[in-house]
Structures are given as C-alpha cells and as structure tokens.
Amino acid sequence: MSPGKRVTIADIARMAGVSPGAVSFALNGRPGVSDETRQRILSIVEENQWQPSSAARALVGARANTVGFALARPARSLGSEAFFTDLIAGIESRLSASKVSLQLRLVSDIAEEMEVHRQWRSSNQVDGIILIDPRDDDPRGDRITALDARAVMIGSKPSPEGAVPSVWIADDEVAETLFSYLAALGHTRIAYVAGPAELEHTRLRAEVLRGMESDGIFGEVITTDFSPARASSVTRAQLSGRLRPTAIVYDNDVMAVAGLRVAQEMGRAVPRDVSIASFDDSVIAGLINPSITAMTRDTFELGEQAATLLLEQIIAGANLPSAQGPTPTLTARESTAPPASGS
C-alpha cells in the first residue's frame, strides 16, 4: 500500500486472498468462512488499522450499527422539553447496550425529514429509523416502506396492519383522564393549549374535550408551535377575555410553566382564579410554586421500548407487531382546585 492511502475492504480481501464477501462474513461474525480464514482476515485488519466507511458498509451489505432519529422541532424548544431529554436517554440506553449508535438530526419540516431518511438509506448510514409525532395521512410510512427500511413510530395509537409498527400511548384515554378530572372538580370552561393541529395526538385530545360538550363542558382548543412564547401569548388572551376559562390545559410542561407565569403576572391566582394542568410532567413541574398537575409517564421506558422494537425488527429483517407503551397516570398537584364560586 502506498503511504497515506486509505485501506479499503477490497484491499483487505486481496491481501487475504479471499472475496470481499468473505471479509464481510469474517468482520460480522457470520458463517461462511473457516476459523483459519476468519483469523487471517482479522489479523490483516488489525495490522492495517482498518476502519469501515459507510461506503464500504454499503458495498458489502454489513450493518451500520447506527439508528437514525430526525426531529422536526426547533433546537431551542427541543432543549427545554423534558419529554425529549428523557426519550432520547431511554433510546440511547437501549441502543448502547447493543453497541448501536444514535444519529440525531434536527430538521425544519417533514419534507426535509423524509429527504434525510432517503440519504441515510441510500448511503447505508443507518440500519433503522425512529419516527415521532404521527400525523393524519402521514406520508412518512409509505416512504419508509419504499426505502425498504426498518422503522418504528412513537405515536398515539397502534399502527394498522402492514404499516410501520408503533410503540403507542392511547392519547384519547390520557385526555379523558385529565379533562374528566377537571370536570369532576367542577370546571365547565376548559381551554386546551395544543401543539400543531396536524399532529395525531392534538386531534385525539381535542376530540375528547369537544365530546364533553353534552356534559355541559365548554372546551376551546388553541393550536400553537409548542413554544413558551406562543403559550404565553395565548394564556394572556384567554385570561383577558370576558368569558375566561376556569382551567387551562397545556400540551407540555414548558408551555404550562409559561402559562403559570403569565397568570401570576396578571394577578390571577392559581388555582383560585384559574387551574393549570399539563399533558407532560417533569421535575420542574413538581418543584415550581404552585406545583403543576400533570399526566406522568415513564418517557425513559418509552424510549427503551421503541429502541427495543426497532432492534428486534433489524435482526428479524421484517416488521413486527406494534406494542403499547407505558400508561401515563394523573399526578394531582397544587395548580388545580375547584373553581371559585361564581366563576
């Protein structure tokens, strides 16, 4: 080999007197080569300090030992959401136990996300893909199928047969628990400060609230971009109206904290003048004063389950059935109480 030239898998095969496919078998511990040949190949690899490139992996069909996760979320908001911190930690915990890496990419929208998926698969950079935030008529499932990629969706309901399997949480049941709790306290005017309207969980939660109208509950749904700035603006408008809600529910803990701060700035006592609750829980939600009522879920376990299902599919080379994730439970705290009489 000339000095400075990168050793390729073809070079290893030539030096060992075998085919590139035999090198692949040896490196990946697969049958097809004798122990003597495997040891000769591994010795040559060690002597030449060879490291596989993504192109070499694609050439021989070896695994990349990497899972891809493209997130269409703003970097600033992503860093402040405990949900994603715990989810990614759970995913990493399961992957690292199998010596598999996580490749995380932040993208601007779903179109860019799908392009990243295509690039990953065409260059064999990842063995599988994690998806999140399912939408109605989500185009990503068909694209994943066309790419012949293994994937798992973290979603609100089990995937239909033949689709990308999901690790799911029944968001309609979660919403029923939280909104019914507020109704049982006596709240009849409830505002739901949601995420984007196209997300599946937003629709499911909104449908539950609107379905309570026959029980005398007036619900209003306001969609946002998950940001604390937007949550603050919506809260200010809600508490400035003539017919104010007696309870406000936020899609995540960051928005709930922002809403609580606005209520306090406006002189609205929580929970005497308005109750506040969140669909996501966090350490901050439990430590702030007043502490915030929330739906508590084991998000770390959710990430572990998603990674486990994906790894099992990669090994099997086929889709496996969807699996239900950890069930959220209601954690009632100081931010909710019966509405003041006359409210």
Side-chain angles (χ1 to χ4, degrees), residues 239-301:
L239 297 182
S240 299
R242 184 178 60 84
L243 195 61
R244 297 188 293 270
T246 60
I248 305 177
V249 179
Y250 298 85
D251 244 348
N252 64 36
D253 55 312
V254 176
M255 291 199 294
V257 171
L260 173 63
R261 290 295 302 272
V262 168
Q264 292 171 333
E265 290 167 5
M266 296 179 68
R268 311 291 186 190
V270 177
R272 187 191 64 203
D273 298 328
V274 60
S275 285
I276 284 178
S278 170
F279 275 114
D280 274 344
D281 200 2
S282 66
V283 172
I284 297 300
L287 294 178
I288 199 168
N289 185 29
S291 56
I292 297 175
T293 292
M295 296 302 298
T296 304
R297 73 183 83 200
D298 191 339
T299 310
F300 186 94
E301 182 183 345

Side-chain angles (χ1 to χ4, degrees), residues 136 156 170-176 178-179 190-213 217-224 249-251 279:
D136 294 322
S156 301
D171 264 301
D172 50 352
E173 295 178 12
V174 174
E176 182 73 33
L178 184 50
F179 290 137
I190 302 173
Y192 167 35
V193 183
E198 65 270 17
L199 298 186
E200 184 178 80
H201 80 258
T202 297
R203 176 179 58 79
L204 291 172
R205 294 171 181 178
E207 285 177 355
V208 170
L209 180 58
R210 289 168 177 146
M212 298 173 72
E213 185 176 348
I217 308 299
F218 173 75
E220 183 177 1
V221 179
I222 309 97
T223 57
T224 72
V249 179
Y250 298 85
D251 244 348
F279 275 114

Side-chain angles (χ1 to χ4, degrees), residues 48-108:
N48 288 273
Q49 299 180 328
W50 177 81
Q51 293 293 328
S53 66
S54 60
R57 284 194 297 264
L59 176 65
V60 300
R63 287 183 186 155
N65 289 323
T66 301
V67 163
F69 191 12
L71 272 169
R73 290 289 182 95
R76 289 185 181 275
S77 66
L78 184 66
S80 63
E81 288 189 55
F83 173 86
F84 281 105
T85 302
D86 292 344
L87 181 72
I88 292 170
I91 293 170
E92 284 274 28
S93 174
R94 179 62 185 87
L95 294 180
S96 62
S98 298
K99 295 181 170 54
V100 174
S101 301
L102 177 66
Q103 183 164 336
L104 182 65
R105 281 278 296 273
L106 298 184
V107 295
S108 58

